[in-house]
Amino acid sequence: MSTPILETKAITMRFGGLTAVDNFSLKIGKTDLIGVIGPNGAGKTTIFNMITGIYEPTEGIVELNGENIVGNRPAFITQKGIARTFQNIRLFKDLSVIDNIRLAGHFRVDYGLVASIFRTKKFHAEEKRLEDEAMELLKIFGLEKKKDHLAKNLPYGEQRRLEIARALGTKPSVLLLDEPAAGMNPNETKELTKLIRWVRDKFQIAILLIEHDMKLVMEVCETIYVVDHGVQIAHGVPSEIQNNPKVIEAYLGTDAE
Amino acid sequence: MFEFFLHLSPLIGINIILAVSLNLINGICGQFSLGHAGFWAVGAYTGAAYSVYGALPLPDELNLIISCGLGFIAACVAGLIIGVPCLRLRGDYLAIATLGFGEIIRIVIMNTDAIGGPRGFSGIPKWTNLFWVSLFVVITVVIIANILRGTHGRAIISIREDEIAADSMGIYTFKYKTLAFVIGAGFAGLAGSLYAHYTQFLHPNGFSFMFSVIILLMIILGGLGSITGSIVGAIILTLMPEVLRFMGETVSQWRMVIYSVLLIALMLLRPGGIFGKHEFNPLTLFKKKGEEA
């Protein structure tokens, strides 16, 4: 593995007496495709929330490019280069498709409120740049014809794509996908599999995904981490994971004694 | 009757400013505030205090602009002081907290003798007229509309749409919530100063919680999130009770009932308000027609 871009070092999350995640460590290299799997309630989303700053880990640190980012606000962590999508798509539903993407470029915009009120030259230049960047992303994702549609009016598959496009609009170095195949039929999942690989190759970023859909994870991911009850029980390439007795036990349970 | 409406028209303008500014907070940013009358009062009393106690020897017009500016700034400061603690709350909790602060402002004014206290504040010069009100309405609408059509405005709207998603897009949601709140409060203060120099008399009870509710009604009627909707809502709700007054004795006696029934009917027929979240822009209307031709 190349030098890690994102690394979690023994992060632990306790909610009162409940330990949701215990000593979880993971390393992501520059263009890695990594999956975190585990049964329901295993603590996968909690791991995501700790990385993106929604929760602050009780113990342990999260390093992005060697810098500890624990304790920062989610917005700041995004600005540093970690973008995410959500399990239950969270688009700005009543905004147009292009506005959704424009918002991803918001924190890089270089004009103030006053420039916005007086419509200065800088305002127009920056807005133009923002729109060009957004259009470019929309073209890549085949959504340019729908740029003025409201996000809520897109079909489900396109909403997923728009959400990924929007996350990429923040120009991340790591993209976190929270159950991207949730609610998709096998055909859509197949397309998504291609899309994820393609995004990684095209944008040269690391992708970390949480998924229930075994097929997708086994096909897409190069390294897989398995968690159960907040503890990492296995870690390796898909073929190793598939035959790991501990993993099978976590998913299917043991024989009744 | 004509004179009566001439008297009413500046009040319509003032209500438009109040409605548009509240819409920025409630409809566009999605932060449910019920303390708008409080900011209005801060602006009104600040502006009035300036012209009664400290007016500079300048032409009336300039003094009006200064007092409106002071009203704006004072209300911005009040908005900041109230917004920073309150905006950590959401939904109903925020509504209750802002309502409380609005009432605190009123009670403080009630107990401040220098600005009249419960006797009311009188002796304010009449500087406001239809021209100045119209000018400030245009300024308010242009400024807020321009903010909304820039990246800062989009950030404010994104908070209404989905705060968590906005956060994950690298937008400092708290900063933009506060910004919307402070700007909204500021324009309410400006409207307050205009109001003070129009009615020439202020009484704390005129700034009660009920008035916040009436402004809220205007923006809900017009459509939360639509600036043009707020303008229409403000015009309708200012005129309706007065127009009903002139429609014969029976109607006049029942006017508050009719007014309420009309509101209920409208909300049943168009729960999203007259305009919903849409804007009515006469310029684009002509453009479209031109393109078709």
Side-chain angles (χ1 to χ4, degrees), chain B residues 80-232:
Chain B
L80 194 67
I81 294 170
I82 294 169
V84 168
C86 284
L87 287 171
R88 293 176 196 283
L89 304 170
R90 264 159 225 201
D92 341 0
Y93 306 105
L94 175 66
I96 291 165
T98 48
L99 188 156
F101 271 110
E103 284 298 285
I104 288 171
I105 291 172
R106 190 175 66 86
I107 300 297
V108 168
I109 292 169
M110 189 77 103
N111 289 291
T112 309
D113 209 44
I115 48 173
R119 280 173 284 117
F121 197 8
S122 53
I124 306 164
K126 191 173 176 101
W127 290 337
T128 306
N129 54 33
L130 190 55
F131 167 76
W132 286 105
V133 172
S134 315
L135 185 73
F136 278 115
V137 167
V138 172
I139 291 174
T140 307
V141 171
V142 167
I143 288 181
I144 292 184
N146 274 0
I147 291 174
L148 289 183
R149 286 181 297 133
T151 195
H152 307 289
R154 280 194 295 268
I156 290 172
I157 297 171
S158 76
I159 296 169
R160 169 192 76 195
E161 293 296 315
D162 193 323
E163 200 175 328
I164 293 173
D167 231 334
S168 82
M169 288 293 105
I171 297 163
Y172 282 138
T173 48
F174 186 70
K175 174 181 151 191
Y176 283 100
K177 275 198 269 187
T178 313
L179 184 75
F181 199 78
V182 168
I183 295 174
F187 280 109
L190 190 153
S193 187
L194 280 173
Y195 177 78
H197 294 96
Y198 186 68
T199 60
Q200 298 174 273
F201 176 74
L202 300 172
H203 192 276
N205 284 347
F207 300 96
S208 71
F209 152 70
M210 261 326 284
F211 202 80
S212 294
V213 174
I214 291 174
I215 311 169
L216 186 70
L217 279 181
M218 291 173 187
I219 65 173
I220 291 175
L221 183 82
L224 278 172
S226 166
I227 293 180
T228 32
S230 303
I231 297 171
V232 172

Side-chain angles (χ1 to χ4, degrees), chain A residues 13-257:
Chain A
M13 186 76 219
R14 287 197 197 93
F15 298 105
L18 176 88
T19 307
V21 175
D22 195 8
N23 276 316
F24 183 79
S25 298
L26 120 168
K27 274 185 189 172
I28 305 177
K30 207 165 174 289
T31 54
D32 285 355
L33 246 171
I34 290 181
V36 176
I37 58 171
N40 274 332
K44 303 183 298 286
T45 301
T46 309
I47 293 170
F48 255 38
N49 285 341
M50 281 191 282
I51 296 174
T52 53
I54 292 175
Y55 297 151
E56 197 175 318
T58 327
E59 278 162 39
I61 55 174
V62 180
E63 276 184 357
L64 181 68
N65 288 319
E67 184 193 345
N68 187 6
I69 53 168
V70 167
N72 284 307
R73 285 178 286 191
F76 181 78
I77 289 173
T78 306
Q79 295 181 7
K80 280 273 169 188
I82 300 180
R84 73 171 294 179
T85 64
F86 295 89
Q87 186 174 343
N88 42 348
I89 307 180
R90 282 178 178 272
L91 289 169
F92 304 123
K93 294 193 187 71
D94 274 314
L95 293 183
S96 67
V97 167
I98 188 160
D99 274 349
N100 266 276
I101 309 243
R102 273 188 192 144
L103 273 163
H106 165 80
F107 67 86
R108 277 180 277 106
V109 166
D110 181 31
Y111 68 78
L113 199 63
V114 178
S116 172
I117 292 169
F118 292 103
R119 313 258 120 184
T120 58
K121 240 188 213 165
K122 199 169 191 182
F123 167 83
H124 287 292
E126 283 286 288
E127 281 290 307
K128 175 91 179 40
R129 183 182 62 81
L130 208 55
E131 188 172 336
D132 291 347
E133 279 180 19
M135 277 314 288
E136 204 178 314
L137 262 177
L138 286 180
K139 265 183 207 146
I140 290 172
F141 282 83
L143 290 165
E144 80 270 24
K145 283 202 185 105
K146 300 208 167 172
K147 75 180 178 88
D148 293 322
H149 289 217
L150 293 185
K152 65 176 175 191
N153 294 339
L154 294 184
Y156 192 81
E158 287 183 354
Q159 291 195 10
R160 277 272 176 223
R161 262 194 287 162
L162 177 60
E163 207 193 16
I164 295 175
R166 189 183 64 175
L168 290 169
T170 64
K171 303 206 168 153
S173 43
V174 184
L175 177 63
L176 310 188
L177 303 174
D178 193 351
E179 305 217 4
M184 284 190 167
N185 64 35
N187 255 337
E188 288 170 321
T189 308
K190 220 177 191 174
E191 252 177 60
L192 184 76
T193 312
K194 270 192 269 172
L195 182 74
I196 292 173
R197 274 189 176 282
W198 178 81
V199 163
R200 194 270 306 267
D201 296 337
K202 167 103 188 158
F203 291 88
Q204 288 293 306
I205 55 172
I207 295 180
L208 172 67
L209 67 103
I210 295 178
E211 192 44 80
H212 269 311
D213 191 304
M214 277 300 163
K215 204 160 160 273
L216 178 94
V217 178
M218 293 299 167
E219 264 177 49
V220 165
C221 298
E222 290 146 355
T223 313
I224 295 174
Y225 290 80
V226 188
V227 280
D228 188 26
H229 298 296
V231 184
Q232 182 186 320
I233 56 170
H235 156 219
V237 297
S239 55
E240 288 169 12
I241 298 295
Q242 262 165 336
N243 302 316
N244 188 318
K246 267 190 180 166
V247 178
I248 296 167
E249 188 190 310
Y251 269 88
L252 302 175
T254 45
D255 292 338
E257 307 264 324

